[in-house]
Amino acid sequence: MRRYNPYTLPPWLRNVRLICKQFIIPFSVFQAIRTILLPTTFDVLLLTLFIGIALAIYFDWI
């Protein structure tokens, strides 16, 4: 299996990845506060999705 190299991605996809990297933590914090104040099933699932995306981006899984 080949190792992941972000420099082999197209330039537009690298830009999307960098933009997501900048915004995922503030979105996750906002969603966590919202989930604490008004917990619904959708909020919990969205928070889980945001945390998963944040982990994937910061550990270079995607």
Side-chain angles (χ1 to χ4, degrees):
M1 185 174 191
R2 287 181 26 197
R3 296 231 355 127
Y4 171 73
N5 187 358
Y7 297 107
T8 59
L9 297 174
W12 64 271
L13 192 55
R14 279 187 283 171
N15 287 339
V16 168
R17 191 173 177 272
L18 289 174
I19 291 169
C20 287
K21 192 172 186 176
Q22 289 179 344
F23 286 111
I24 195 64
I25 296 298
F27 284 161
S28 297
V29 170
F30 172 76
Q31 189 62 34
I33 292 170
R34 181 180 163 161
T35 303
I36 289 170
L37 295 177
L38 184 66
T40 63
T41 304
F42 177 74
D43 288 329
V44 173
L45 291 175
L46 193 60
L47 179 61
T48 304
L49 179 70
F50 283 165
I51 290 173
I53 291 172
L55 289 174
I57 287 175
Y58 281 102
F59 286 125
D60 288 330
W61 293 338
I62 58 170

